[in-house]
Amino acid sequence: MRAVLIAALTAAVLAPATAQAHVTLQPPTAPADQFTRLDVRVPNERDDSPTIKIELQVPDGIASISYEPVPGWDVDVQTGPLENPIQTEDGEITEGVKQITWTAEDSDDGIPPGAFQDFGLSFRVPGKPGDKLEFKALQTYGNGEVVRWIGSEGSDNPAAIVTVV
C-alpha cells in the first residue's frame, strides 16, 4: 500500500513538469492586426539525444514572417496559397507562409538534453480578439524519434496556441 501511495504522489508531482515540456509560442497572446514578436520555445525532454529539427506549421492568414537567425541552425520558409486572401491598401495578397523548418547544421548544434532554445519570429497577427491561432509542430531528435505536437489543448501532445487579444 505504501509503495502505491509513493508512486501516486511521485506521479502527481512530476505530471505538471511533463505537461509543460512541449513546443510553445511565447508569449501565448498577441494583439490583433499588429506586428509582434513571438518566440517558438523548444525544450528537449529527452535524456540521451539532442533536438535537431523543428517543423512549424503556420496558421492561415500570415502573409510573411521574419525570423531571428540562430547560430548553427538553417531555416527554410515555405509559402503557398492562402485559404482567405488578405486585402491591403496595395491590393490582394494570395500567398502566405505555410511552414518554417529549423535544422541544426550538425548534432553538436542541436538542443541538448535538459535545455531549450527560442526561435524568434515577427509577423502581423491575423484574426480578431478571442481567436486562437494553432501552430502545429514536429520535433525531431538525433536518434530519429519524431514527436508530433499537433493535438488539441489538454492532450498529451498539444499544438502551440496563441490567443489573439
Side-chain angles (χ1 to χ4, degrees):
M1 179 70 173
R2 182 178 172 170
V4 172
L5 180 60
I6 290 171
L9 289 172
T10 301
V13 169
L14 292 178
T18 302
Q20 296 300 319
H22 58 274
V23 174
T24 60
L25 269 77
Q26 300 296 322
T29 60
D33 201 33
Q34 300 291 317
F35 278 95
T36 194
R37 180 207 166 102
L38 295 174
D39 290 318
V40 180
R41 180 155 298 158
V42 181
N44 183 339
E45 59 187 20
R46 298 296 180 260
D47 293 330
D48 59 352
S49 190
T51 294
I52 60 166
K53 185 177 185 180
I54 299 296
E55 299 167 84
L56 184 74
Q57 289 182 1
V58 177
D60 194 57
I62 298 176
S64 66
I65 286 183
S66 296
Y67 60 87
E68 181 176 33
V70 175
W73 289 78
D74 294 323
V75 181
D76 178 42
V77 178
Q78 297 176 7
T79 60
L82 291 170
E83 291 177 23
N84 299 304
I86 300 169
Q87 294 296 329
T88 71
E89 293 175 1
D90 298 325
E92 186 176 77
I93 298 173
T94 58
E95 281 223 346
V97 177
K98 295 298 184 184
Q99 181 172 302
I100 301 173
T101 303
W102 290 271
T103 307
E105 292 173 1
D106 63 49
S107 62
D108 289 340
D109 293 321
I111 305 166
F116 72 90
Q117 176 67 53
D118 283 341
F119 297 90
L121 298 176
S122 176
F123 59 93
R124 182 180 292 272
V125 177
K128 61 188 182 315
D131 287 351
K132 293 187 180 227
L133 305 177
E134 183 178 70
F135 292 81
K136 295 180 179 182
L138 301 181
Q139 180 176 11
T140 303
Y141 290 92
N143 64 7
E145 178 186 5
V146 177
V147 178
R148 299 167 52 86
W149 301 106
I150 63 170
S152 60
E153 288 183 276
S155 70
D156 288 342
N157 294 80
I161 300 291
V162 173
T163 302
V164 180
V165 294

